[in-house]
Amino acid sequence: MKMKMTRLLALALAALMAASFAACGKTPDAETTAAPETSAVEAVDTTAAAVPADDTTAAETEAVVTEAPATEAAVTEAPATEAPTTAAPTTAAPTTTEKPTETTTKETTTEKKAPTDKAEILKLYNDATAKVASKKPAFSKKRQTKEGVYDAGVALKAVKGVVYKFMGIGEENAYVKDVAKNDGEYNHYFQKSTLTASDIKDASCTLNSDGSYDVTIKVKDGNSYTEGGNGDKYYAPLDKSGISAGQGDKGYWDHKTAQNVYAAIGEVAPNAVIDEKYSGATVKATIDKDGNITKMEVTFDLDFNISKVYGASGHATGTTTVSFKSFKW
């Protein structure tokens, strides 16, 4: 019994020492050398008991060996993950910078161009004439009607000079005027255009290198008629183009209608019949980049038929040119 207890105590001590060394990370070889103090039988038993302790130590050693490769594998993968992450932002940067530059260049190139639509051209011209009428800059004006034909009876031939005078035909009857800035009667010499698309045949515009525009507008033909001051007819889009026009016998009117002529001769020829028409009316104007007219010219062909003047009749034609220049804004 005593022997059995000793053996059991030895086994317990051996197991306890094996566990203690295993916890401290040492090998079990040192435990085996402490056994000689027991009997030979106990030594055999102790060796047999040491086998499990060796297995436990081996298992722990394997566990440590197994963990080491796992740690190395994690270290090896880290560089492979970082390489693509760093390169990606560097490649994308230049593409974003170039596109805004290209867009800005295109807008600058196409910033200004001449209008091509008839309505747009007409608006450009109308706005420019309205600016003249509003700001009232100084300018020089000349109107002259070049003689065409004059076919008349004896009575009208005798007063040809008078007829040409109120019609403004001939160099001697040219009208010249230097209009001062803010002249009190500015509308006698220049009027803003009120032309509409229905008043014109065509319109064109070109852009000059200095940014100014050359505008050409072809105005529809018109006519006027009166018979002894009655049965008046009047259709004259030309009179809406910016030239001076109105009622009565006024030397500053640029377009003489049948009503204007009758106002001049009605007292001496109350039964006069006057039939007037114009054709080929063309407006040309240069408008600078700020919308200011710098020069302007209006031309049209006149045709007059006059009858019942002292029992005689006559036919006169001419080409009128009205020029505006030397604007001082």
Side-chain angles (χ1 to χ4, degrees), residues 142-155:
K142 181 177 181 180
R143 181 188 71 248
Q144 181 179 349
T145 301
K146 184 179 179 181
E147 180 180 0
V149 299
Y150 186 71
D151 182 15
V154 175

Side-chain angles (χ1 to χ4, degrees), residues 46-313:
T46 304
T47 304
V51 173
D54 291 340
D55 292 341
T56 305
T57 306
E60 290 179 359
T61 306
E62 288 175 3
V64 174
V65 174
T66 306
E67 289 175 4
T71 306
E72 291 176 0
V75 173
T76 307
E77 291 175 6
T81 307
E82 291 175 3
T85 305
T86 308
T90 308
T91 309
T95 307
T96 308
T97 310
E98 292 179 9
K99 287 186 178 178
T101 305
E102 292 177 1
T103 304
T104 304
T105 304
K106 288 181 180 178
E107 289 177 357
T108 303
T109 305
T110 59
E111 184 177 338
K112 189 173 183 179
K113 61 181 180 179
T116 56
D117 181 72
K118 186 166 70 172
E120 291 179 354
I121 297 171
L122 191 56
K123 184 180 185 308
L124 174 65
Y125 174 71
N126 284 350
D127 288 350
T129 62
K131 191 172 183 180
V132 173
S134 173
K135 300 295 184 181
K136 297 182 179 179
F139 68 92
S140 296
K141 177 178 181 178
K142 181 177 181 180
R143 181 188 71 248
Q144 181 179 349
T145 301
K146 184 179 179 181
E147 180 180 0
V149 299
Y150 186 71
D151 182 15
V154 175
L156 286 181
K157 278 185 177 179
V159 293
K160 178 181 177 181
V162 176
V163 174
Y164 271 20
K165 184 172 180 63
F166 64 69
M167 289 178 63
I169 297 177
E171 178 65 34
E172 66 278 12
N173 295 314
Y175 178 85
V176 179
K177 175 73 176 179
D178 288 327
V179 182
K181 182 176 177 62
N182 296 318
D183 190 291
E185 297 179 328
Y186 207 85
N187 67 331
H188 290 173
Y189 318 114
F190 189 98
Q191 299 172 356
K192 71 175 183 179
S193 169
T194 57
L195 288 170
T196 65
S198 61
D199 295 323
I200 66 176
K201 298 176 182 178
D202 195 14
S204 61
C205 180
T206 58
L207 177 64
N208 299 315
S209 59
D210 62 355
S212 65
Y213 297 100
D214 286 334
V215 174
T216 300
I217 299 173
K218 295 187 179 299
V219 183
K220 288 184 177 179
D221 299 345
N223 58 81
S224 58
Y225 176 88
T226 187
E227 184 175 349
N230 298 307
D232 286 5
K233 296 177 182 178
Y234 171 77
Y235 174 71
L238 172 64
D239 294 356
K240 300 162 66 176
S241 67
I243 63 174
S244 55
Q247 300 297 315
D249 175 24
K250 305 296 182 183
Y252 44 74
W253 294 150
D254 295 322
H255 172 218
K256 300 293 197 285
T257 64
Q259 287 75 25
N260 295 141
V261 174
Y262 186 79
I265 67 174
E267 289 185 6
V268 294
N271 297 319
V273 176
I274 303 166
D275 187 4
E276 176 270 339
K277 58 185 177 181
Y278 73 83
S279 61
T282 302
V283 178
K284 293 183 178 181
T286 298
I287 304 169
D288 70 16
K289 61 182 180 180
D290 298 317
N292 301 321
I293 290 180
T294 56
K295 63 181 179 179
M296 176 174 152
E297 184 178 272
V298 181
T299 59
F300 53 95
D301 295 326
L302 278 174
D303 189 307
F304 274 94
N305 278 296
I306 304 174
S307 60
K308 296 185 179 181
V309 178
Y310 300 115
S313 61

